[in-house]
Amino acid sequence: MIQKIALIIICSFFVLSCQDKQSKPKENQIKSSKVTKNKNAKADTTAEKKPEFPFLTDSLAMEFFLEYEKTHKENKVRITTKFGDIDILLYDKTKFHRANFIYLTKRGYFDNTQFYRVIDNFIIQAGNTDDPKVKRKRGKIGRYLLPKDTKRGYKHDRGAVSMPSSDIENPYKLASPYEFFIVQQQGGAHHLDGDYTIFGTVIKGMDVVDEIAKQKTDDGDWPLRNVYIQKVEIIE
């Protein structure tokens, strides 16, 4: 009887030992998966994320826009103001300036900027403001100038869209990329030809341009009642 009991105990111990050995690989596999998953998660959280847009400088801007214009061929934009819309055709020949305007439009830069220089029977100039939010936008996009491109045969006719030179000391009249002006003068402003890059023309909304040009201004040609660009959008 004693031998029978002992045999049962030995068999029970052997079965339990086998079950324990079979369970260990499964337990180790689950832990290994968790460790691997955690390692991957840690790698994901510590991986450096590249900025969506580069910070543009004089040395980087031309190379950037050379590539950008190849895949961003849009050339018609709409400027919305409280007086109505102004539709503009951007010229393909002035590719850097067209690409720059499209890029800034897609970045939402021009939204809530102003027509800050208005001279009746001459020009209306836009793209700047005294709003700190817009200055912060510039700070994120970059600090750069664009070269003149004045030998494409375009003239400062009425409705021409051109780019002013920077207000910094600039003997070569490099273009200020954040700003533009529209010739409103009857008969054009051809004394500007050769000095400033014409990169587009108004195809609809010159009546809106004329209305903006009529606004009363202070001694610095800034409208007494601010004329905001509500938004600029690509239409084609």
Side-chain angles (χ1 to χ4, degrees):
M1 182 67 178
I2 293 174
Q3 291 177 348
K4 188 175 181 179
I5 293 172
L7 182 61
I8 292 171
I9 292 172
I10 291 171
C11 290
S12 299
F13 178 81
F14 180 79
V15 171
L16 290 172
S17 178
C18 289
Q19 289 177 344
D20 184 55
K21 287 180 180 179
Q22 290 175 353
S23 67
K24 283 183 179 180
K26 188 173 182 180
E27 183 182 359
N28 289 339
Q29 185 179 1
I30 293 171
K31 286 184 177 180
S32 178
S33 297
K34 286 182 178 179
V35 169
T36 302
K37 186 176 180 180
N38 288 340
K39 284 182 178 178
N40 289 338
K42 186 176 181 180
D44 290 341
T45 56
T46 56
E48 293 184 4
K49 293 184 178 180
K50 293 183 178 180
E52 185 178 359
F53 303 104
F55 181 83
L56 296 179
T57 62
D58 286 335
S59 60
L60 179 62
M62 295 302 291
E63 181 181 351
F64 173 79
F65 287 124
L66 182 62
E67 292 302 316
Y68 188 85
E69 69 91 19
K70 293 177 182 178
T71 54
H72 297 79
K73 296 295 186 181
E74 302 92 337
N75 66 351
K76 290 181 182 177
V77 297
R78 176 167 293 153
I79 300 172
T80 300
T81 76
K82 66 180 180 180
F83 298 107
D85 296 338
I86 304 169
D87 291 354
I88 292 173
L89 170 68
L90 303 175
Y91 295 138
D92 293 331
K93 288 183 179 180
T94 50
K95 59 184 179 181
F96 292 111
H97 302 76
R98 181 195 64 79
N100 173 75
F101 201 91
I102 292 297
Y103 177 70
L104 294 180
T105 296
K106 290 185 176 182
R107 293 291 304 267
Y109 169 74
F110 294 112
D111 300 352
N112 299 315
T113 56
Q114 295 172 247
F115 284 95
Y116 65 91
R117 186 181 180 216
V118 169
I119 304 174
D120 195 16
N121 200 32
F122 183 37
I123 65 164
I124 60 172
Q125 188 164 322
N128 207 340
T129 178
D130 52 2
D131 187 340
K133 292 180 181 178
V134 174
K135 292 180 181 178
R136 285 196 290 271
K137 281 186 187 180
R138 287 193 188 206
K140 292 180 180 179
I141 294 171
R143 182 178 175 83
Y144 61 101
L145 299 175
L146 295 177
K148 287 196 305 183
D149 191 355
T150 59
K151 297 181 180 180
R152 303 293 180 178
Y154 303 127
K155 303 293 183 183
H156 282 88
D157 298 326
R158 173 173 160 84
V161 181
S162 190
M163 193 170 288
S165 59
S166 171
D167 58 0
I168 64 174
E169 187 175 345
N170 185 9
Y172 298 105
K173 287 185 166 31
L174 298 179
S176 176
Y178 294 104
E179 302 166 46
F180 63 96
F181 65 88
I182 301 173
V183 177
Q184 184 260 342
Q185 183 172 331
Q186 296 290 341
H190 297 129
H191 63 285
L192 302 177
D193 295 346
D195 285 337
Y196 306 97
T197 300
I198 301 162
F199 65 99
T201 187
V202 174
I203 55 176
K204 184 180 178 182
M206 278 305 295
D207 58 327
V208 178
V209 174
D210 289 334
E211 190 62 33
I212 294 173
K214 292 178 185 176
Q215 302 307 302
K216 293 181 178 180
T217 64
D218 61 18
D219 293 338
D221 302 320
W222 194 301
L224 296 178
R225 294 184 178 180
N226 288 333
V227 180
Y228 283 97
I229 292 177
Q230 296 169 356
K231 64 178 178 179
V232 177
E233 58 187 324
I234 295 167
I235 56 177
E236 188 177 321

